[in-house]
Amino acid sequence: MPNARTRLILQNVILADDVFVAESPKDVCIENGRVTKIAPAHSLAGEAGTRVLPCEGLIAVPGLVDVHVHFREPGATQKEDIASGSRAAAAGGYTSVCCMPNTKPAVDSVATLCAIDQKGRETGMVHVFQTAAMTLGQSGDTLVPLRDMDATTTLCKELTGHGVAGVTEDGRSLMDETLMRQVSILAKELNLPVMDHAEDVSLVGGCMHEGEISAQLGLPGLPSEAEANIVRRDIRLAEETGAHFHLQHISAASSVALIREAKKRLSNLTAETAPHYFALTDSDVVRLGTMAKMNPPVRTEEDRLAIIEGLKDGTIDMIATDHAPHTEAEKAKPMESAPFGIVGLETGFSLGYTRLVRGGYLTLPQLIGKMCAAPSRLIGLPYETIREGMRADIMIFAPKENFVVRSEDFFSKGRNTPFEGETLFGRIRYTVLGGGLSYEYKE
Ligand SMILES: [Zn+2]
C-alpha cells in the first residue's frame, strides 16, 4: 500500500489535463493525500521527511481511469488476482479501475461484491471498483439484486456514490430483450450506466475477424454484424428507456457509423474502444496467432481507421484496456481453442501516446480526455485537474523516452500481449494514489 504520510514534491514537472498542456514547469507539493501547493519550478524546498521526485522533462496528468478490466478473482487467480492486477494498473498509470463481473462465481451478490471490495482496499494500489452482472451466474435467466448491490458501502460508494460502477454482462450479451429492458429501467432509476458487451450470440463460434484473412488461414470467423446487431438494439433501448447505455470495446467501422448517427439524437449513449483496435488489424493475426485473439476481434485496416476517426470526432468517448490475462499454457493452445483476450494495463497509455498523439491523430489533452475525464464521468467519479486542493491521484510520464515492451517485466501475471518487442514512447515514471507513490519506475 502506498505510504501517504511522506510529503512529496514533484520538482520541475509540466502539468497537463484534458484541456491544456502548461508551457512552463512547476513544483507540486503533495501532503496528506492532497496537492497543497503549486509553485514555480525549483522554488519548493525539501525539508526533512520530504521526498523530492526530480521530474525534468516529465509530464504530470490526472491519474488514469480504466472502465474495463478483468482481475479474475474470485475463481481464476492463476491468471491474475486483485493484488497482481492492482500492481499492473499502478504501473500503467491508472488510479481507478472497474472490474468486470465474469469471475467464478460471477459478481451477482452483495457477498461477492464485498469480498472483492475488501481485497481491493487491502491491496490499496489502485481504486478497485466493481461492476455488477446483469443476471445470476450470468446465465441470462434471473436479474441480480442490483438495488442492494448499488446500496452496498464499497470504496466505489465512497468515491462515486454508487456501490457498483455499473451493470454489465461482459463476456457475453444478455440476448433476452425483456430482461435487458428491465435491467435498463432499473439502471435508469438508480442512475447507473448499462455497460454492454455487444455481441449477437447467434453469430459467434469464430476465433478471428471474418474476412479475407480468416478465409486464407481457414479459420472460422466472427463477423462485424455480431457487434452491429446488438449496437443497433442497444441504441433502440437507450432511446426507449432513457437509461445511459455505454457500448464496450467497439471494434468495427459499422458500429462506429451507427453510434455516430445515434449520438445526433441521444445524449445517453457513450462508447469505448481498446488500444488493440487502433493499433492492430486481422493481418497481424498471421504473425501473432493467439496473442492477437480477443473478443471482439481486431478487424481490417478500414475498421482500424474508422475507430481512430471515431476517437477523433468524439463518437468514441473513451479508451479502456479490456485487460484480460490468461496463462501461457492456455494461450499456447491452437487458435480455435485458446481463450480470447490480452493484457493491456501496462501498455495502454503508451500505445495511446505513441500511436494516437505522436501519430498525429489526437492531442495529449484529447488522450487524457479519453483515458481519464470521460471514464470518470461515466462512473460518476469526480474528475479533478492538478491544482491546489486536488485529491492527489496523479500519473507522471516521460513523453520523449522510448522503451521496448517486455512482458517478463509486467506486474500482471498475464504475459499475453501482442505488443512484445514493440518500441513505445511515454513510459510511466510515477503513479501517485491518494498522495502516496503506488508505482515508481526503476531501471
Ligand atoms: Zn467483453
Side-chain angles (χ1 to χ4, degrees):
M1 184 154 333
N3 178 0
R5 274 186 300 241
T6 308
R7 182 167 176 261
L8 292 177
I9 290 177
L10 311 180
Q11 189 180 64
N12 199 16
V13 72
I14 293 283
L15 302 181
D17 57 39
D18 62 322
V19 176
F20 92 126
V21 181
E23 275 168 23
S24 53
K26 295 276 192 280
D27 282 359
V28 177
C29 180
I30 296 166
E31 46 197 336
N32 301 318
R34 302 247 161 211
V35 170
T36 51
K37 193 156 184 59
I38 298 179
H42 298 293
S43 68
L44 295 183
E47 312 153 3
T50 302
R51 172 108 195 260
V52 177
L53 307 175
C55 294
E56 180 161 8
L58 307 185
I59 300 179
V61 301
L64 306 179
V65 179
D66 191 343
V67 294
H68 196 144
V69 304
H70 298 269
F71 280 180
R72 308 299 192 200
E73 184 172 356
T77 51
Q78 73 283 8
K79 297 175 196 258
E80 192 81 290
D81 56 37
I82 290 166
S84 62
S86 295
R87 281 192 291 274
Y94 292 90
T95 50
S96 297
V97 297
C98 300
C99 298
M100 291 299 112
N102 61 338
T103 47
K104 291 188 187 87
V107 186
D108 58 5
S109 69
V110 169
T112 305
L113 173 64
C114 286
I116 291 167
D117 183 60
Q118 183 63 28
K119 284 255 172 78
R121 289 183 200 245
E122 279 166 16
T123 305
M125 304 298 281
V126 65
H127 300 133
V128 176
F129 303 146
Q130 179 61 52
T131 53
M134 290 179 178
T135 64
L136 295 180
Q138 293 192 284
S139 59
D141 300 323
T142 311
L143 297 186
V144 303
L146 186 60
R147 192 183 298 277
D148 295 343
M149 292 172 80
D150 188 45
T152 304
T153 51
T154 57
L155 178 67
C156 190
K157 184 89 173 173
E158 288 169 25
L159 295 177
T160 74
H162 288 284
V164 289
V167 58
T168 173
E169 202 80 323
D170 187 58
R172 64 186 67 187
S173 279
L174 176 54
M175 296 300 289
D176 184 322
E177 200 167 319
T178 308
L179 280 179
M180 193 66 184
R181 190 178 297 273
Q182 284 174 18
V183 171
S184 309
I185 291 167
L186 181 54
K188 157 93 176 145
E189 190 190 321
L190 298 171
N191 197 22
L192 279 176
V194 178
M195 302 171 168
D196 204 23
H197 164 115
E199 183 183 30
D200 183 343
V201 301
S202 68
L203 295 174
V204 302
C207 63
M208 67 176 291
H209 173 66
E210 184 176 283
E212 274 172 42
I213 310 280
S214 67
Q216 277 167 26
L217 296 175
L219 289 170
L222 292 160
S224 298
E225 290 72 39
E227 183 172 277
N229 286 353
I230 301 300
V231 166
R232 232 178 257 114
R233 178 199 70 176
D234 286 355
I235 289 170
R236 184 160 48 72
L237 285 172
E239 199 150 22
E240 289 170 16
T241 65
H244 179 156
F245 268 73
H246 173 72
L247 298 164
Q248 298 178 296
H249 46 49
I250 289 300
S251 66
S254 48
S255 309
V256 176
L258 286 165
I259 297 163
R260 181 177 292 123
E261 203 45 42
K263 277 190 158 192
K264 291 178 185 164
R265 312 187 304 276
L266 301 177
S267 57
N268 54 330
L269 186 67
T270 52
E272 76 188 33
T273 192
H276 34 285
Y277 303 116
F278 62 68
L280 299 174
T281 66
D282 59 349
S283 57
D284 293 305
V285 176
V286 179
R287 169 175 68 89
L288 296 164
T290 62
M291 287 301 173
K293 180 180 178 182
M294 67 288 282
N295 189 19
V298 289
R299 302 191 189 272
T300 66
E301 179 65 4
E302 189 196 330
D303 293 292
R304 190 183 76 84
L305 294 173
I307 293 294
I308 292 175
E309 198 48 44
L311 284 164
K312 277 177 71 176
D313 72 10
T315 302
I316 299 178
D317 304 82
M318 62 195 85
I319 298 167
T321 63
D322 194 3
H323 177 79
H326 292 292
T327 63
E328 282 175 52
E330 289 169 305
K331 277 296 200 182
K333 288 181 183 174
M335 196 63 189
E336 283 103 319
S337 49
F340 291 104
I342 60 168
V343 290
L345 282 168
E346 289 166 87
T347 50
F349 176 79
S350 303
L351 278 165
Y353 188 74
T354 305
R355 298 297 191 94
L356 300 176
V357 177
R358 288 181 61 98
Y361 297 109
L362 296 183
T363 62
L364 175 63
Q366 284 172 323
L367 183 68
I368 300 309
K370 307 278 181 202
M371 301 190 77
C372 180
S376 297
R377 260 196 306 279
L378 173 69
I379 59 171
L381 180 69
Y383 165 73
E384 293 184 272
T385 56
I386 303 175
R387 54 179 173 72
E388 290 174 5
M390 177 215 199
R391 185 189 68 216
D393 294 343
I394 296 172
M395 181 274 264
I396 298 123
F397 73 99
K400 297 204 173 90
E401 190 177 315
N402 65 32
F403 66 99
V404 175
V405 176
R406 285 193 314 200
S407 60
E408 63 181 38
D409 296 339
F410 285 171
F411 287 83
S412 170
K413 290 183 188 177
R415 298 285 179 267
N416 47 317
T417 175
F419 302 108
E420 181 79 40
E422 213 160 299
T423 300
L424 298 178
F425 285 82
R427 191 203 287 276
I428 311 298
R429 296 290 291 274
Y430 303 103
T431 308
V432 178
L433 178 75
L437 273 182
S438 57
Y439 173 72
E440 179 176 5
Y441 169 69
K442 293 197 179 93
E443 286 183 53

PDB file of all heavy atoms in Angstrom, residues 3-8 29-36 127 384 387 389-394 432-436:
ATOM      1  N   ASN A   3       2.528   4.729   0.794  1.00  0.00           N
ATOM      2  CA  ASN A   3       2.621   5.488   2.032  1.00  0.00           C
ATOM      3  C   ASN A   3       2.274   6.947   1.765  1.00  0.00           C
ATOM      4  O   ASN A   3       3.011   7.662   1.101  1.00  0.00           O
ATOM      5  CB  ASN A   3       4.054   5.355   2.575  1.00  0.00           C
ATOM      6  CG  ASN A   3       4.254   6.155   3.846  1.00  0.00           C
ATOM      7  OD1 ASN A   3       3.318   6.819   4.331  1.00  0.00           O
ATOM      8  ND2 ASN A   3       5.456   6.108   4.386  1.00  0.00           N
ATOM      9  N   ALA A   4       1.150   7.371   2.280  1.00  0.00           N
ATOM     10  CA  ALA A   4       0.678   8.737   2.012  1.00  0.00           C
ATOM     11  C   ALA A   4       1.157   9.714   3.071  1.00  0.00           C
ATOM     12  O   ALA A   4       0.799  10.876   3.062  1.00  0.00           O
ATOM     13  CB  ALA A   4      -0.843   8.755   1.921  1.00  0.00           C
ATOM     14  N   ARG A   5       1.986   9.220   4.027  1.00  0.00           N
ATOM     15  CA  ARG A   5       2.434  10.121   5.094  1.00  0.00           C
ATOM     16  C   ARG A   5       3.649  10.950   4.679  1.00  0.00           C
ATOM     17  O   ARG A   5       3.874  12.028   5.205  1.00  0.00           O
ATOM     18  CB  ARG A   5       2.739   9.320   6.357  1.00  0.00           C
ATOM     19  CG  ARG A   5       1.480   9.092   7.203  1.00  0.00           C
ATOM     20  CD  ARG A   5       1.838   8.432   8.500  1.00  0.00           C
ATOM     21  NE  ARG A   5       2.466   7.147   8.233  1.00  0.00           N
ATOM     22  CZ  ARG A   5       1.991   5.983   8.644  1.00  0.00           C
ATOM     23  NH1 ARG A   5       0.909   5.941   9.368  1.00  0.00           N
ATOM     24  NH2 ARG A   5       2.595   4.866   8.356  1.00  0.00           N
ATOM     25  N   THR A   6       4.432  10.404   3.719  1.00  0.00           N
ATOM     26  CA  THR A   6       5.597  11.166   3.270  1.00  0.00           C
ATOM     27  C   THR A   6       5.128  12.339   2.416  1.00  0.00           C
ATOM     28  O   THR A   6       4.257  12.188   1.571  1.00  0.00           O
ATOM     29  CB  THR A   6       6.518  10.266   2.413  1.00  0.00           C
ATOM     30  OG1 THR A   6       6.782   9.081   3.137  1.00  0.00           O
ATOM     31  CG2 THR A   6       7.822  10.952   2.076  1.00  0.00           C
ATOM     32  N   ARG A   7       5.740  13.494   2.669  1.00  0.00           N
ATOM     33  CA  ARG A   7       5.440  14.654   1.828  1.00  0.00           C
ATOM     34  C   ARG A   7       6.201  14.473   0.533  1.00  0.00           C
ATOM     35  O   ARG A   7       7.382  14.138   0.525  1.00  0.00           O
ATOM     36  CB  ARG A   7       5.906  15.889   2.607  1.00  0.00           C
ATOM     37  CG  ARG A   7       5.661  17.224   1.976  1.00  0.00           C
ATOM     38  CD  ARG A   7       5.898  18.279   3.088  1.00  0.00           C
ATOM     39  NE  ARG A   7       5.772  19.627   2.584  1.00  0.00           N
ATOM     40  CZ  ARG A   7       6.820  20.392   2.238  1.00  0.00           C
ATOM     41  NH1 ARG A   7       8.050  19.905   2.313  1.00  0.00           N
ATOM     42  NH2 ARG A   7       6.623  21.617   1.804  1.00  0.00           N
ATOM     43  N   LEU A   8       5.521  14.674  -0.587  1.00  0.00           N
ATOM     44  CA  LEU A   8       6.160  14.508  -1.900  1.00  0.00           C
ATOM     45  C   LEU A   8       6.258  15.861  -2.585  1.00  0.00           C
ATOM     46  O   LEU A   8       5.339  16.674  -2.498  1.00  0.00           O
ATOM     47  CB  LEU A   8       5.326  13.595  -2.815  1.00  0.00           C
ATOM     48  CG  LEU A   8       5.192  12.112  -2.497  1.00  0.00           C
ATOM     49  CD1 LEU A   8       4.255  11.460  -3.523  1.00  0.00           C
ATOM     50  CD2 LEU A   8       6.551  11.414  -2.525  1.00  0.00           C
ATOM     51  N   CYS A  29       3.610  20.287  -4.560  1.00  0.00           N
ATOM     52  CA  CYS A  29       3.763  19.683  -3.233  1.00  0.00           C
ATOM     53  C   CYS A  29       2.509  18.871  -2.898  1.00  0.00           C
ATOM     54  O   CYS A  29       1.380  19.330  -3.084  1.00  0.00           O
ATOM     55  CB  CYS A  29       3.969  20.769  -2.181  1.00  0.00           C
ATOM     56  SG  CYS A  29       4.169  20.073  -0.537  1.00  0.00           S
ATOM     57  N   ILE A  30       2.740  17.637  -2.432  1.00  0.00           N
ATOM     58  CA  ILE A  30       1.635  16.730  -2.099  1.00  0.00           C
ATOM     59  C   ILE A  30       1.790  16.309  -0.650  1.00  0.00           C
ATOM     60  O   ILE A  30       2.829  15.765  -0.261  1.00  0.00           O
ATOM     61  CB  ILE A  30       1.677  15.488  -3.013  1.00  0.00           C
ATOM     62  CG1 ILE A  30       1.454  15.899  -4.485  1.00  0.00           C
ATOM     63  CG2 ILE A  30       0.639  14.456  -2.581  1.00  0.00           C
ATOM     64  CD1 ILE A  30       1.800  14.806  -5.474  1.00  0.00           C
ATOM     65  N   GLU A  31       0.782  16.575   0.160  1.00  0.00           N
ATOM     66  CA  GLU A  31       0.817  16.076   1.541  1.00  0.00           C
ATOM     67  C   GLU A  31      -0.591  15.763   2.036  1.00  0.00           C
ATOM     68  O   GLU A  31      -1.556  16.365   1.590  1.00  0.00           O
ATOM     69  CB  GLU A  31       1.544  17.043   2.487  1.00  0.00           C
ATOM     70  CG  GLU A  31       1.163  18.482   2.353  1.00  0.00           C
ATOM     71  CD  GLU A  31       2.169  19.433   3.000  1.00  0.00           C
ATOM     72  OE1 GLU A  31       2.903  19.029   3.920  1.00  0.00           O
ATOM     73  OE2 GLU A  31       2.217  20.600   2.580  1.00  0.00           O
ATOM     74  N   ASN A  32      -0.657  14.777   2.928  1.00  0.00           N
ATOM     75  CA  ASN A  32      -1.942  14.331   3.483  1.00  0.00           C
ATOM     76  C   ASN A  32      -2.969  14.031   2.394  1.00  0.00           C
ATOM     77  O   ASN A  32      -4.144  14.347   2.530  1.00  0.00           O
ATOM     78  CB  ASN A  32      -2.503  15.376   4.453  1.00  0.00           C
ATOM     79  CG  ASN A  32      -1.541  15.647   5.594  1.00  0.00           C
ATOM     80  OD1 ASN A  32      -0.943  14.708   6.128  1.00  0.00           O
ATOM     81  ND2 ASN A  32      -1.347  16.912   5.929  1.00  0.00           N
ATOM     82  N   GLY A  33      -2.499  13.444   1.298  1.00  0.00           N
ATOM     83  CA  GLY A  33      -3.423  12.980   0.267  1.00  0.00           C
ATOM     84  C   GLY A  33      -3.860  14.031  -0.729  1.00  0.00           C
ATOM     85  O   GLY A  33      -4.625  13.730  -1.642  1.00  0.00           O
ATOM     86  N   ARG A  34      -3.379  15.260  -0.558  1.00  0.00           N
ATOM     87  CA  ARG A  34      -3.840  16.339  -1.446  1.00  0.00           C
ATOM     88  C   ARG A  34      -2.666  17.106  -2.032  1.00  0.00           C
ATOM     89  O   ARG A  34      -1.577  17.126  -1.447  1.00  0.00           O
ATOM     90  CB  ARG A  34      -4.693  17.348  -0.664  1.00  0.00           C
ATOM     91  CG  ARG A  34      -5.901  16.744   0.008  1.00  0.00           C
ATOM     92  CD  ARG A  34      -7.196  17.243  -0.597  1.00  0.00           C
ATOM     93  NE  ARG A  34      -8.276  16.340  -0.257  1.00  0.00           N
ATOM     94  CZ  ARG A  34      -9.332  16.117  -1.044  1.00  0.00           C
ATOM     95  NH1 ARG A  34      -9.456  16.737  -2.188  1.00  0.00           N
ATOM     96  NH2 ARG A  34     -10.270  15.274  -0.682  1.00  0.00           N
ATOM     97  N   VAL A  35      -2.922  17.773  -3.156  1.00  0.00           N
ATOM     98  CA  VAL A  35      -1.967  18.745  -3.679  1.00  0.00           C
ATOM     99  C   VAL A  35      -2.133  19.992  -2.824  1.00  0.00           C
ATOM    100  O   VAL A  35      -3.224  20.557  -2.757  1.00  0.00           O
ATOM    101  CB  VAL A  35      -2.253  19.057  -5.165  1.00  0.00           C
ATOM    102  CG1 VAL A  35      -1.413  20.243  -5.637  1.00  0.00           C
ATOM    103  CG2 VAL A  35      -1.987  17.833  -6.028  1.00  0.00           C
ATOM    104  N   THR A  36      -1.064  20.395  -2.137  1.00  0.00           N
ATOM    105  CA  THR A  36      -1.199  21.539  -1.217  1.00  0.00           C
ATOM    106  C   THR A  36      -0.598  22.817  -1.782  1.00  0.00           C
ATOM    107  O   THR A  36      -0.976  23.907  -1.362  1.00  0.00           O
ATOM    108  CB  THR A  36      -0.558  21.241   0.149  1.00  0.00           C
ATOM    109  OG1 THR A  36       0.771  20.766  -0.080  1.00  0.00           O
ATOM    110  CG2 THR A  36      -1.360  20.205   0.905  1.00  0.00           C
ATOM    111  N   HIS A 127      -7.766   2.337  -6.985  1.00  0.00           N
ATOM    112  CA  HIS A 127      -9.159   2.195  -6.555  1.00  0.00           C
ATOM    113  C   HIS A 127      -9.789   1.071  -7.363  1.00  0.00           C
ATOM    114  O   HIS A 127      -9.903   1.184  -8.580  1.00  0.00           O
ATOM    115  CB  HIS A 127      -9.938   3.485  -6.792  1.00  0.00           C
ATOM    116  CG  HIS A 127      -9.391   4.665  -6.059  1.00  0.00           C
ATOM    117  ND1 HIS A 127      -9.181   5.889  -6.651  1.00  0.00           N
ATOM    118  CD2 HIS A 127      -9.003   4.805  -4.763  1.00  0.00           C
ATOM    119  CE1 HIS A 127      -8.685   6.727  -5.743  1.00  0.00           C
ATOM    120  NE2 HIS A 127      -8.562   6.092  -4.611  1.00  0.00           N
ATOM    121  N   GLU A 384     -10.749  15.592 -11.318  1.00  0.00           N
ATOM    122  CA  GLU A 384     -10.071  16.797 -10.851  1.00  0.00           C
ATOM    123  C   GLU A 384      -8.793  17.014 -11.632  1.00  0.00           C
ATOM    124  O   GLU A 384      -8.007  16.089 -11.809  1.00  0.00           O
ATOM    125  CB  GLU A 384      -9.703  16.663  -9.373  1.00  0.00           C
ATOM    126  CG  GLU A 384     -10.886  16.625  -8.432  1.00  0.00           C
ATOM    127  CD  GLU A 384     -10.427  16.592  -6.984  1.00  0.00           C
ATOM    128  OE1 GLU A 384     -10.198  15.493  -6.458  1.00  0.00           O
ATOM    129  OE2 GLU A 384     -10.283  17.668  -6.392  1.00  0.00           O
ATOM    130  N   ARG A 387      -4.443  20.858  -9.367  1.00  0.00           N
ATOM    131  CA  ARG A 387      -4.474  22.217  -8.804  1.00  0.00           C
ATOM    132  C   ARG A 387      -4.433  22.069  -7.294  1.00  0.00           C
ATOM    133  O   ARG A 387      -4.595  20.956  -6.771  1.00  0.00           O
ATOM    134  CB  ARG A 387      -5.753  22.946  -9.241  1.00  0.00           C
ATOM    135  CG  ARG A 387      -6.982  22.154  -8.916  1.00  0.00           C
ATOM    136  CD  ARG A 387      -8.285  22.823  -9.288  1.00  0.00           C
ATOM    137  NE  ARG A 387      -9.357  21.862  -9.056  1.00  0.00           N
ATOM    138  CZ  ARG A 387      -9.800  21.476  -7.882  1.00  0.00           C
ATOM    139  NH1 ARG A 387      -9.290  21.977  -6.779  1.00  0.00           N
ATOM    140  NH2 ARG A 387     -10.752  20.574  -7.753  1.00  0.00           N
ATOM    141  N   GLY A 389      -5.435  21.668  -3.693  1.00  0.00           N
ATOM    142  CA  GLY A 389      -6.651  21.088  -3.122  1.00  0.00           C
ATOM    143  C   GLY A 389      -7.074  19.786  -3.789  1.00  0.00           C
ATOM    144  O   GLY A 389      -7.919  19.069  -3.259  1.00  0.00           O
ATOM    145  N   MET A 390      -6.472  19.452  -4.935  1.00  0.00           N
ATOM    146  CA  MET A 390      -6.855  18.220  -5.651  1.00  0.00           C
ATOM    147  C   MET A 390      -6.552  16.983  -4.807  1.00  0.00           C
ATOM    148  O   MET A 390      -5.513  16.917  -4.143  1.00  0.00           O
ATOM    149  CB  MET A 390      -6.021  18.132  -6.941  1.00  0.00           C
ATOM    150  CG  MET A 390      -6.259  16.872  -7.749  1.00  0.00           C
ATOM    151  SD  MET A 390      -4.750  16.289  -8.573  1.00  0.00           S
ATOM    152  CE  MET A 390      -5.440  15.222  -9.840  1.00  0.00           C
ATOM    153  N   ARG A 391      -7.456  16.008  -4.835  1.00  0.00           N
ATOM    154  CA  ARG A 391      -7.150  14.686  -4.269  1.00  0.00           C
ATOM    155  C   ARG A 391      -6.003  14.135  -5.113  1.00  0.00           C
ATOM    156  O   ARG A 391      -6.131  14.020  -6.328  1.00  0.00           O
ATOM    157  CB  ARG A 391      -8.393  13.800  -4.395  1.00  0.00           C
ATOM    158  CG  ARG A 391      -8.259  12.436  -3.752  1.00  0.00           C
ATOM    159  CD  ARG A 391      -9.441  11.546  -4.123  1.00  0.00           C
ATOM    160  NE  ARG A 391      -9.398  11.220  -5.539  1.00  0.00           N
ATOM    161  CZ  ARG A 391     -10.467  11.091  -6.322  1.00  0.00           C
ATOM    162  NH1 ARG A 391     -11.656  11.251  -5.853  1.00  0.00           N
ATOM    163  NH2 ARG A 391     -10.338  10.794  -7.590  1.00  0.00           N
ATOM    164  N   ALA A 392      -4.878  13.806  -4.486  1.00  0.00           N
ATOM    165  CA  ALA A 392      -3.656  13.546  -5.263  1.00  0.00           C
ATOM    166  C   ALA A 392      -3.634  12.145  -5.886  1.00  0.00           C
ATOM    167  O   ALA A 392      -2.983  11.226  -5.405  1.00  0.00           O
ATOM    168  CB  ALA A 392      -2.425  13.790  -4.402  1.00  0.00           C
ATOM    169  N   ASP A 393      -4.390  11.987  -6.976  1.00  0.00           N
ATOM    170  CA  ASP A 393      -4.321  10.807  -7.838  1.00  0.00           C
ATOM    171  C   ASP A 393      -3.731  11.298  -9.156  1.00  0.00           C
ATOM    172  O   ASP A 393      -4.421  11.936  -9.957  1.00  0.00           O
ATOM    173  CB  ASP A 393      -5.725  10.222  -8.085  1.00  0.00           C
ATOM    174  CG  ASP A 393      -6.347   9.663  -6.810  1.00  0.00           C
ATOM    175  OD1 ASP A 393      -5.614   9.436  -5.837  1.00  0.00           O
ATOM    176  OD2 ASP A 393      -7.575   9.462  -6.796  1.00  0.00           O
ATOM    177  N   ILE A 394      -2.445  11.016  -9.351  1.00  0.00           N
ATOM    178  CA  ILE A 394      -1.687  11.660 -10.433  1.00  0.00           C
ATOM    179  C   ILE A 394      -0.800  10.632 -11.127  1.00  0.00           C
ATOM    180  O   ILE A 394      -0.284   9.706 -10.491  1.00  0.00           O
ATOM    181  CB  ILE A 394      -0.814  12.800  -9.841  1.00  0.00           C
ATOM    182  CG1 ILE A 394      -1.705  13.907  -9.250  1.00  0.00           C
ATOM    183  CG2 ILE A 394       0.142  13.387 -10.876  1.00  0.00           C
ATOM    184  CD1 ILE A 394      -0.949  14.982  -8.479  1.00  0.00           C
ATOM    185  N   VAL A 432       0.854   8.299  -8.421  1.00  0.00           N
ATOM    186  CA  VAL A 432       0.549   8.739  -7.052  1.00  0.00           C
ATOM    187  C   VAL A 432      -0.930   8.448  -6.793  1.00  0.00           C
ATOM    188  O   VAL A 432      -1.793   8.861  -7.566  1.00  0.00           O
ATOM    189  CB  VAL A 432       0.815  10.261  -6.893  1.00  0.00           C
ATOM    190  CG1 VAL A 432       0.458  10.726  -5.478  1.00  0.00           C
ATOM    191  CG2 VAL A 432       2.269  10.593  -7.222  1.00  0.00           C
ATOM    192  N   LEU A 433      -1.186   7.708  -5.724  1.00  0.00           N
ATOM    193  CA  LEU A 433      -2.568   7.388  -5.359  1.00  0.00           C
ATOM    194  C   LEU A 433      -2.828   7.911  -3.948  1.00  0.00           C
ATOM    195  O   LEU A 433      -2.140   7.510  -3.006  1.00  0.00           O
ATOM    196  CB  LEU A 433      -2.793   5.873  -5.413  1.00  0.00           C
ATOM    197  CG  LEU A 433      -4.203   5.428  -5.012  1.00  0.00           C
ATOM    198  CD1 LEU A 433      -5.205   5.732  -6.111  1.00  0.00           C
ATOM    199  CD2 LEU A 433      -4.234   3.947  -4.666  1.00  0.00           C
ATOM    200  N   GLY A 434      -3.806   8.784  -3.826  1.00  0.00           N
ATOM    201  CA  GLY A 434      -4.139   9.333  -2.507  1.00  0.00           C
ATOM    202  C   GLY A 434      -2.937   9.944  -1.815  1.00  0.00           C
ATOM    203  O   GLY A 434      -2.801   9.865  -0.593  1.00  0.00           O
ATOM    204  N   GLY A 435      -2.027  10.516  -2.604  1.00  0.00           N
ATOM    205  CA  GLY A 435      -0.875  11.206  -2.026  1.00  0.00           C
ATOM    206  C   GLY A 435       0.343  10.322  -1.783  1.00  0.00           C
ATOM    207  O   GLY A 435       1.405  10.822  -1.420  1.00  0.00           O
ATOM    208  N   GLY A 436       0.217   9.005  -1.968  1.00  0.00           N
ATOM    209  CA  GLY A 436       1.365   8.101  -1.797  1.00  0.00           C
ATOM    210  C   GLY A 436       1.785   7.530  -3.141  1.00  0.00           C
ATOM    211  O   GLY A 436       0.980   7.464  -4.073  1.00  0.00           O
TER     212      GLY A 436
END
